[in-house]
Amino acid sequence: LTVGHNPQHDFTSFDNIASAMLIIFQVMIQEDWTTLMYFIWDAFTIWTWPYFILLNGLGPMFAIQLFIVVVANKYQQVKAAQDAQDNAAVQLFEVKIGILQANLPRVS
């Protein structure tokens, strides 16, 4: 569907996934997103503003939550590995204490 020309020598478009992801990323980081919005207005219609406003408002929150989930998941993995290492150290200590107690002469 060709409604109008793509701005910036066909660089700004939603014609392929790479270009669309670049535009979405640029809007989410709020780097010169209004210029992109105006380019899309000129190429398509003025009624694209709700898309850009929603993407600008909800996109960064989604990205932050995704970052927090990744950090929390990695924290859980590291904590589980640390707990397993601590349990192994405690078990080894208990085995060594048991061997020492078994080798001690019994006093009657």
Side-chain angles (χ1 to χ4, degrees), residues 2-67:
T2 304
V3 177
H5 71 284
N6 290 329
Q8 295 179 332
H9 305 290
D10 286 338
F11 183 72
T12 303
S13 70
F14 287 92
D15 293 341
N16 57 43
I17 192 73
S19 178
M21 292 298 289
L22 184 63
I23 291 171
I24 290 170
F25 179 72
Q26 188 172 353
V27 172
M28 283 176 58
I29 63 170
Q30 300 175 351
E31 181 65 34
D32 201 25
W33 69 275
T34 54
T35 305
L36 285 173
M37 182 177 66
Y38 295 136
F39 281 149
I40 302 299
W41 281 11
D42 292 340
F44 189 61
T45 179
I46 196 169
W47 293 106
T48 56
W49 67 267
Y51 170 76
F52 283 95
I53 298 301
L54 284 173
L55 185 60
N56 193 7
L58 299 177
M61 286 187 272
F62 175 75
I64 289 171
Q65 286 185 356
L66 185 62
F67 175 76

Side-chain angles (χ1 to χ4, degrees), residues 61-77:
M61 286 187 272
F62 175 75
I64 289 171
Q65 286 185 356
L66 185 62
F67 175 76
I68 290 172
V69 165
V70 168
V71 169
N73 190 17
K74 188 63 178 175
Y75 175 77
Q76 272 185 327
Q77 290 174 353

